[in-house]
Amino acid sequence: MRRALILFCAAATAYVPPALVRRRRPVRPFAPPSSLAEAEASAPPKDQAEWEAVVAALEAYKKVHGDVRVPTRFAVPDDEEYPEVCRGLKLGQRVASIRATGRYVDDEGRRRQLEALGFEWRLRRPSASQGGANPPEPFEVVVAALEAYRAAHGDAVVPPNFVVPRNDPWPAACRGLPLGARIESLADPDHAYFEGAPPGVAEEREAALAALGVVVKRAGARQSTARRFEIVYSALSCFKEINGHLNVQQTFVVPDEDPWPEAARSMKLGSRVNAIRSHGTFLRRHPERRQRLVDLGLSL
């Protein structure tokens, strides 16, 4: 009897009602994204905030100026006309970077967003009468177009009438570029990509083009244009010192005697002056030369 009682008490102590039993839910294994691409696609671009600031600045700039042809040195002012998010932004540099390297615009939607604002992928070159000193697009844009052409065709022998297509895989910054015409223009000994470039830059650009199979004239040949202008300028200076004016007759030839500069002797100075006035010889893309002649007293 006693043994039976002990067994009953032990059983009662060990018994736990079903309602008090904690049921454990099965642990589901971690399911990672099916691919890294899907994970990245679901996340916003890393430059989204900066892109939105650029767009806000461009929208405000257009309201103020009527277009989005932003000068390279323009920085968004601390002004109520511009949203706070973009004040202080170096907008001109951002726009130049978009044109030159396609920054921000890997996505086609962003390109359309810019085009809806009237964004110009290439700005027209100022005319010679305006004294434009800048080439029509940055040198890097031409290189990018050449690289894409070479990748597509196997060489950089560009037909003179070739224009970069406005679709992939061509870089956005160079779409619509008349690449064939640009390559032909490199033969100009006074081309803005080389003439007046900082020391060493002309040589670097020559090397970059040569690596793509495009050979341009030697730097020395380009420098001859600047040298010839200086000779003409010295002859005009001497003419003014002797005659007191610069009314050079078209038939005038520099005498082969002192005090005329040796390098200018026998030069048809009258013809040179006529070419400067009629065709802008020596002055294209060089407003500083025009100003020097005007300061000297030559009417243009």
Side-chain angles (χ1 to χ4, degrees):
M1 184 68 181
R2 183 178 179 182
R3 183 179 179 182
L5 182 60
I6 293 173
L7 291 174
F8 174 79
C9 292
T13 304
Y15 175 75
V16 179
L20 299 179
V21 176
R22 296 179 63 186
R23 296 182 180 179
R24 295 184 179 180
R25 294 182 180 179
V27 178
R28 295 182 180 179
F30 172 71
S34 58
S35 68
L36 181 60
E38 289 183 9
E40 290 180 346
S42 62
K46 295 180 180 179
D47 64 351
Q48 183 64 29
E50 189 174 349
W51 165 250
E52 291 175 356
V54 170
V55 172
L58 286 172
E59 290 173 343
Y61 185 94
K62 185 174 183 178
K63 289 181 180 179
V64 175
H65 299 276
D67 57 44
V68 288
R69 297 169 64 94
V70 186
T72 305
R73 296 183 180 181
F74 178 83
V76 177
D78 187 8
D79 195 302
E80 292 182 358
E81 293 176 321
Y82 291 87
E84 289 187 11
V85 69
C86 62
R87 293 177 190 174
L89 178 70
K90 294 180 179 179
L91 184 60
Q93 292 183 10
R94 297 292 194 281
V95 169
S97 182
I98 290 172
R99 289 197 180 100
T101 66
R103 183 179 181 182
Y104 303 122
V105 290
D106 291 337
D107 179 86
E108 186 65 31
R110 290 185 174 184
R111 295 176 195 166
R112 289 196 295 266
Q113 197 172 354
L114 287 177
E115 289 168 357
L117 288 171
F119 186 83
E120 298 175 58
W121 295 103
R122 295 184 299 104
L123 293 179
R124 294 182 178 181
R125 173 169 45 187
S127 65
S129 63
Q130 294 174 314
N134 297 320
E137 55 274 318
F139 177 76
E140 291 75 15
V141 171
V142 174
V143 171
L146 276 171
E147 290 174 341
Y149 185 93
R150 187 175 183 180
H153 299 273
D155 58 45
V157 183
V158 185
N161 61 347
F162 178 79
V163 177
V164 176
R166 295 182 180 274
N167 51 42
D168 290 332
W170 298 90
C174 60
R175 294 178 183 179
L177 174 71
L179 184 60
R182 291 293 183 270
I183 299 304
E184 283 196 331
S185 72
L186 295 176
D188 180 2
D190 201 27
H191 199 288
Y193 286 150
F194 309 103
E195 179 72 11
V201 172
E203 290 75 12
E204 290 177 2
R205 290 177 172 175
E206 268 189 2
L209 291 171
L212 291 169
V214 178
V215 179
V216 296
K217 291 186 177 182
R218 295 178 298 104
R222 285 191 293 273
Q223 292 170 357
S224 64
T225 304
R227 173 61 180 159
R228 282 185 283 123
F229 171 77
E230 294 300 334
I231 293 173
V232 171
Y233 185 86
S234 66
L236 287 171
S237 298
C238 188
F239 186 97
K240 183 177 182 179
E241 186 176 343
I242 294 172
N243 299 285
H245 59 76
L246 284 176
N247 299 324
V248 185
Q249 295 181 349
Q250 190 166 348
T251 57
F252 180 80
V253 178
V254 176
D256 187 10
E257 60 186 31
D258 290 334
W260 296 92
E262 290 187 12
R265 293 177 186 178
S266 300
M267 175 194 292
K268 296 179 179 179
L269 186 59
S271 298
R272 293 290 191 280
V273 170
N274 183 61
I276 290 171
R277 287 180 173 142
S278 303
H279 307 295
T281 303
F282 302 125
L283 306 185
R284 287 175 297 173
R285 300 185 294 275
H286 289 282
E288 74 285 354
R289 292 179 184 173
R290 176 184 295 273
Q291 191 58 50
R292 286 178 63 190
L293 292 176
V294 170
D295 293 342
L296 186 63
L298 185 67
S299 58
L300 298 174

